[in-house]
Amino acid sequence: PNAQKLRNLQSFSQSADTLGDGSAKVAWPDLPYHYYIATDGVVLEGRDVRYEGETNTDYPLTGHLQVVVEGNFEETEPTAEQLASLTRLVVALAEQWDVPAASIAGHGDRAPGQTVCPGEALIPFLPTLREAVAAGDGSGGGVSGTPPPPCRAHAPSAAARASRACSRARRR
């Protein structure tokens, strides 16, 4: 089921469409996000971290890793599994890319007034996530990290290393 979710997201992403607010969405070359966290907490890799992500909002994306958490957090709460996986993933990515805790932000922080993302139910977890990153501890909750530009020479294996680090953290 999770692989099908990614295929559906990729199909939507690669098609021109009209968004719910009536604005046009251009076709993107691939999934917009680097990582996808399903409702069961499974972390799926999306777009290769060497490539800039996509968004329907207007802000510079260079140097950002985009993590999406499945759900509409204006209407529902994230699951405990999602928060645990999100924390492990972001802590691992922050360690890998040397991202300071203060750089961890939600979509709405980067695109003020353009989106309600990550949603009222997920926004309160951002400070906890920043604390977990600062402590190097995978036990908290939050939204996305901002690494150095993804085109660095060592970037091709960063996703694999982050995934292994997340897997190691999950086994603890």
Side-chain angles (χ1 to χ4, degrees):
N2 286 332
Q4 185 60 49
K5 290 176 187 177
L6 277 188
R7 284 191 292 276
N8 292 344
L9 177 59
Q10 186 177 43
S11 177
F12 167 78
S13 300
Q14 293 178 323
S15 302
D17 207 340
T18 302
L19 300 173
D21 66 2
S23 62
K25 185 200 83 61
V26 298
W28 297 323
D30 200 357
L31 295 164
Y33 314 106
H34 298 101
Y35 295 94
Y36 181 100
I37 301 177
T39 55
D40 59 5
V42 170
V43 176
L44 304 163
E45 290 185 60
R47 183 179 289 216
D48 189 310
V49 297
R50 293 176 293 170
Y51 301 100
E52 189 174 279
E54 303 284 354
T55 178
N56 288 307
T57 54
D58 185 27
Y59 69 98
L61 295 170
T62 301
H64 293 256
L65 278 179
Q66 290 172 254
V67 178
V68 66
V69 181
E70 180 183 350
N72 177 346
F73 303 116
E74 288 292 301
E75 298 177 4
T76 62
E77 297 284 326
T79 66
E81 294 84 1
Q82 285 177 309
L83 294 177
S85 292
L86 178 62
T87 301
R88 287 189 299 265
L89 176 65
V90 172
V91 167
L93 291 169
E95 288 174 0
Q96 175 64 43
W97 293 94
D98 197 27
V99 177
S103 294
I104 306 303
H107 189 176
D109 297 322
R110 301 286 184 223
Q114 298 178 58
T115 180
V116 297
C117 181
E120 288 298 318
L122 194 50
I123 289 171
F125 292 98
L126 284 169
T128 304
L129 183 62
R130 288 185 199 102
E131 290 170 11
V133 168
D137 175 19
S139 60
V143 158
S144 69
T146 305
C151 295
R152 291 173 54 163
H154 65 278
S157 58
R161 289 192 302 270
S163 293
R164 284 194 299 273
C166 187
S167 294
R168 285 193 301 273
R170 191 177 301 129
R171 289 192 295 263
R172 289 184 195 155

